[in-house]
Amino acid sequence: MFTPINPATGEAGETIPEMEDGDIGFALDRAATAWRSWRVSDMKTRTDLLAAIADRFEAEADHLAEICT
């Protein structure tokens, strides 16, 4: 188990369970599959997706800042 500590307050966050070996393998397999698809996708698909991600980060900036601190 991993429990993050907020450095500003010293308060413990939500406990995160450790991954099992099978979970790690599954995550790596999914990442490899996604990469194979991503690497052959056209540039417009990539830029549209990255722009949407950037828009979401901007929209959630305050919330993300709270999480980071």
Side-chain angles (χ1 to χ4, degrees):
M1 296 287 206
F2 173 77
T3 304
I5 305 297
N6 181 328
T9 64
E11 294 178 23
E14 184 177 331
T15 299
I16 303 166
E18 291 183 22
M19 294 179 79
E20 301 289 330
D21 288 344
D23 297 330
I24 295 168
F26 178 72
L28 291 172
D29 288 343
R30 287 193 63 199
T33 299
W35 175 79
R36 283 190 292 275
S37 173
W38 177 260
R39 68 187 289 259
V40 297
S41 62
D42 64 277
M43 187 61 72
K44 178 157 178 31
T45 299
R46 293 182 190 198
T47 56
D48 288 350
L49 179 59
L50 292 173
I53 292 168
D55 290 345
R56 185 70 186 265
F57 271 118
E58 289 177 10
E60 298 290 332
D62 290 340
H63 178 68
L64 293 170
E66 288 177 15
I67 292 170
C68 290
T69 58

